[in-house]
Amino acid sequence: MARSPFTLVAAVTAAVPGAEVTGARALTADGDGRFDSAIATLADGSELVIRVAADDAAAVELAEEALALRALTAGAREILPFRVPTAMGETRVGEARALVTDLMPGFQVEAAHLPAGRGAAVSVGQAIAAVHALPPSVVRAAGLSVRDAAAVRAETEQLVDRASATGRVPARLSARWRGAVADDALWRFESAVTLGGIQALSFLFEDDPHDGPQVVAVLGWRGLAVGDPAEDLGWLSGAPDAAADVLAAYTAASQRAADDALQARARLHAELEFARWLVHGDELRRPDIVDDAAALLDSLSSGLRADDLRAAATYTGGVDSALDVLDRVPATASSDIDTSMQTDAYRPEDLWHDAEADEPGDDREHADPKTATGSLRADGHEHPESPTASGHASWDEPTQDLTDVAGVRGPTHDGHDGTSARDAEGAAGSDQPASAETDSDEAQRAARAALQRWTRSDSE
């Protein structure tokens, strides 16, 4: 049974000595039930978030998160162009571990709804580059994991072997992954500080009247380590509208050597999340998890455009839509990063007011909020028509859609209208000639319309 906000905030004073709690409220962006969470208002007006683990796996996550946040010294935080939560204290509520952090401002956008153009996409790319530019000494000093390219490659090979040994990985995928592991060119990269698999919901945005939505905070630091920077880019396969702009901004802001195989490894890491889920179920002797993972792998295999992952310039594989379910990985899987517990929800009119949106006849208010997408059930009984192969690199050409897979990897983020950036752009520009605005202004208008619709949800 979930604990009430008043019960939770009573523990804040134990975790933060001297804290004078004057109010309590629920965290409206509450997530998947792995934590009980609430917001405590203090006498000085500041707000803290308390999260209490619901099980042992969630307790481990909280411990990892606290360790990582404490590893980020004042000097390291000064380098970053956004805010990072501060671990204010830890305590126990009964037998459960509890972590208290400060409340981060901003709103979240799921990957599939992240709009293209300047604003959110560019800011996300720059934020990821900033994380990767942190000095490795930050990680080493805290005793966190440090892996070079050889170590990442060895871990990947071990995962492929363990997953294949279950007998539930399609031969096509097994051969694809083994071919990638065997390709020396794929593993020539410079390791960097990473978050170990950042997700779209790790980013919190606030509106800038000139530059559009900007990343103001980043969540999900429990995977802080030195490793493969491509691990933090795999989620882009689920962001078809924004992926190209995010990657371009990341590349432009990156201070590291060029990495021609970055996209190929990012897709590989994304695909291997399903392998991790399979291995996890096998280790726990959970047939339900194993069957679930096997169904996902079968669906992924049937949607691939090409078998060879090694050719980054021509690969346009099927991870793109398969990533729709990666955000639902349970806490028991190592890739999952909880980002829903450290920020509250906001009303859209408090985030981005557009005077033009108030004008009569503005078609942006009439865009169809029910953009249809193809679907594929996890049991593989229904597949969309497979697209033809393409010779051009692309992040945004989905081969299948697993969005409607129910109950596969935890709860989805419901309550949003699902309007895409493309829908919003079409609605916003329907009554204006193309010559009236520059491409940059069109992208900005699309971003504004999409994010206004995105935030108009049950958070109000």
Side-chain angles (χ1 to χ4, degrees):
M1 181 176 180
R3 301 174 179 87
S4 73
F6 295 100
T7 300
L8 295 174
V9 300
V12 169
T13 55
V16 185
E20 185 179 348
V21 178
T22 60
R25 58 190 174 95
L27 188 63
T28 55
D30 206 350
D32 52 16
R34 293 180 297 115
F35 302 92
D36 290 332
S37 56
I39 299 173
T41 303
L42 304 187
D44 61 3
S46 62
E47 293 184 309
L48 302 179
V49 173
I50 181 169
R51 290 182 292 158
V52 180
D55 52 36
D56 291 341
V60 171
E61 288 189 32
L62 287 183
E64 293 173 343
E65 182 84 1
L67 180 60
L69 293 178
R70 292 191 175 100
L72 294 171
T73 63
R77 292 168 182 262
E78 187 68 24
I79 297 174
L80 297 171
F82 47 77
R83 292 181 59 183
V84 176
T86 299
M88 307 298 294
E90 296 178 83
T91 187
R92 288 192 172 274
V93 177
E95 296 298 321
R97 177 187 290 270
L99 174 65
V100 177
T101 62
D102 51 345
L103 178 68
M104 294 289 97
F107 59 95
Q108 298 165 306
V109 181
E110 288 189 352
H113 299 271
L114 193 66
R118 65 188 178 95
V122 172
S123 185
V124 165
Q126 294 170 343
I128 298 174
V131 172
H132 293 176
L134 285 171
S137 59
V138 171
V139 173
R140 292 193 181 97
L144 300 174
S145 174
V146 176
R147 300 171 298 158
D148 59 12
V152 173
R153 184 180 189 179
E155 288 184 7
T156 302
E157 183 175 22
Q158 182 182 38
L159 175 60
V160 172
D161 289 342
R162 292 172 65 189
S164 298
T166 66
R168 303 299 298 271
V169 178
R172 185 182 185 187
L173 281 179
S174 182
R176 170 188 178 88
W177 295 341
R178 292 186 188 281
V181 170
D183 185 5
D184 292 338
L186 203 66
W187 304 99
R188 296 182 185 132
F189 66 87
E190 179 185 356
S191 58
V193 174
T194 69
L195 296 186
I198 202 169
Q199 298 294 330
L201 295 181
S202 300
F203 304 100
L204 300 180
F205 300 91
E206 284 189 347
D207 172 44
D208 182 284
H210 302 292
D211 297 326
Q214 299 293 300
V215 174
V216 295
V218 173
L219 309 177
W221 289 80
R222 72 181 182 87
L224 183 66
V226 171
D228 185 359
E231 293 178 352
D232 287 342
L233 296 169
W235 66 275
L236 287 177
S237 293
D241 293 330
D245 291 323
V246 171
L247 185 63
Y250 169 81
T251 303
S254 179
Q255 302 175 12
R256 302 165 50 255
D259 184 353
D260 294 335
L262 183 69
Q263 292 187 43
R265 286 200 320 282
R267 288 188 172 94
L268 175 62
H269 290 307
E271 291 183 18
L272 289 176
E273 291 304 314
F274 296 98
R276 288 188 177 91
W277 182 230
L278 175 65
V279 170
H280 171 70
D282 186 64
E283 290 176 341
L284 293 182
R285 301 184 183 278
R286 288 277 303 275
D288 57 331
I289 296 179
V290 171
D291 291 343
D292 175 49
L296 289 169
L297 289 168
D298 287 339
S299 298
L300 176 63
S301 177
S302 67
L304 295 180
R305 289 173 178 264
D307 292 325
D308 188 3
L309 183 64
R310 293 173 291 179
T314 58
Y315 173 69
T316 55
V319 184
D320 302 61
S321 54
L323 276 219
D324 288 343
V325 296
L326 284 183
D327 286 340
R328 310 174 204 171
V329 177
T332 49
S334 61
S335 64
D336 184 67
I337 297 177
D338 172 57
T339 62
S340 63
M341 303 296 180
Q342 302 170 52
T343 177
D344 202 0
Y346 292 80
R347 294 173 58 84
E349 53 266 40
D350 296 333
L351 296 171
W352 194 341
H353 178 74
D354 182 4
E356 295 179 358
D358 298 331
E359 294 179 5
D362 193 329
D363 288 344
R364 280 172 295 179
E365 292 301 324
H366 306 287
D368 184 4
K370 299 181 180 179
T371 303
T373 59
S375 63
L376 178 67
R377 293 163 47 189
D379 58 12
H381 290 170
E382 188 174 338
H383 295 275
E385 181 179 353
S386 176
T388 58
S390 171
H392 302 284
S394 173
W395 289 89
D396 58 355
E397 298 181 13
T399 59
Q400 62 181 107
D401 190 346
L402 301 183
T403 305
D404 295 331
V405 176
V408 171
R409 293 176 180 267
T412 59
H413 299 273
D414 296 325
H416 303 290
D417 61 14
T419 304
S420 70
R422 291 194 185 98
D423 297 329
E425 183 174 0
S430 60
D431 289 340
Q432 300 187 28
S435 59
E437 299 181 42
T438 65
D439 291 341
S440 178
D441 289 336
E442 283 289 348
Q444 179 74 342
R445 186 184 298 276
R448 175 176 290 128
L451 287 173
Q452 282 179 325
R453 288 181 176 82
W454 171 257
T455 54
R456 185 176 294 112
S457 66
D458 58 354
S459 66
E460 297 189 46

